Amino acid sequence: MPDRPLNATAASLLGFLHDGPMTGWDLVTVAQQRIGAFWSLTQSQVYRELTAMAAAGLVRAGERGRRDRQPYEITEAGRRAFTEWTARPPADETIRFPLLLTVLFGRHLPPERLAGYLGAHRAAHAARLADYQAAAAALPPEADEIEPYAVATLRFGLAYERAVLEWFDALPQPLRPAAGGEEPVT
């Protein structure tokens, strides 16, 4: 068992390793695909966590393969640590939305610069919503029964992006994003 409780990053890596052995590179790719929209994870974090978890006996490093890539697999101790992590209540979420800091201090910016920032962020959220909508449209009718956890996560992403776009659309007139052809959310 680790000396300290697992952090969420290490736990997510152990969660992915339940699917089978993966290299650090594979884990970075899977993390970006599956949790990148709501959890930030860097390549250096992945390798740092893998090294620490190997030292703690939570993962086992395999033989180096092509391009010196080393696969890791979860151990029984890693499965127990992951189970303990899932049994703990999740930590409270913390909103870290850098744009909100800029808006808070917006009176110190030229209005056109703030409007440009707002417009760019609104466009990014609209694009993300479109991606989520496409993913939702591609789900089979039985998706709720096959993979309810992934579906619930996708639905959160849809609701979140809609809420953020509604916030942009309800900004006071002086703060409205620069016109970029984006339609208000309905």
Side-chain angles (χ1 to χ4, degrees):
M1 269 319 133
D3 293 338
R4 59 181 171 80
L6 284 180
N7 62 54
T9 299
S12 69
L13 299 176
L14 289 176
F16 296 137
L17 287 172
H18 276 79
D19 295 336
M22 291 185 219
T23 65
W25 181 261
D26 295 334
L27 285 164
V28 169
T29 301
V30 168
Q32 287 171 343
Q33 292 169 346
R34 293 181 57 191
I35 64 174
F38 58 89
W39 192 262
S40 65
L41 194 75
T42 66
Q43 187 173 355
S44 61
Q45 283 177 301
V46 169
Y47 286 101
R48 186 173 47 249
E49 292 295 344
L50 285 172
T51 299
M53 289 191 299
L58 304 180
V59 297
R60 183 178 310 108
E63 294 296 320
R64 291 189 182 277
R66 289 186 3 219
R67 298 186 196 159
D68 208 30
R69 291 188 177 173
Q70 187 169 32
Y72 290 85
E73 63 181 324
I74 191 169
T75 64
E76 282 308 312
R79 290 181 194 283
R80 286 191 303 274
F82 181 78
T83 298
E84 288 177 13
W85 177 80
T86 60
R88 292 192 331 245
D92 291 339
E93 67 272 3
T94 301
I95 296 175
R96 288 185 57 96
F97 197 165
L99 178 64
L100 288 179
L101 285 177
T102 303
V103 169
L104 178 65
F105 299 111
R107 69 175 180 261
H108 302 287
L109 292 169
E112 63 278 359
R113 183 178 302 158
L114 180 59
Y117 293 159
L118 289 163
H121 278 260
R122 189 194 187 291
H125 285 278
R128 198 172 303 129
L129 176 61
D131 290 345
Y132 290 160
Q133 288 170 328
L139 291 174
E142 64 279 0
D144 280 342
E145 290 80 37
I146 296 172
E147 191 56 59
Y149 311 105
V151 171
T153 305
L154 176 60
R155 287 185 181 145
F156 177 88
L158 287 161
Y160 173 79
E161 294 303 337
R162 286 183 183 120
V164 171
L165 290 169
E166 287 173 14
W167 174 80
F168 278 111
D169 295 342
L171 285 170
Q173 192 59 42
L175 299 181
R176 291 285 165 96
E182 300 294 335
E183 294 295 318
V185 174
T186 55

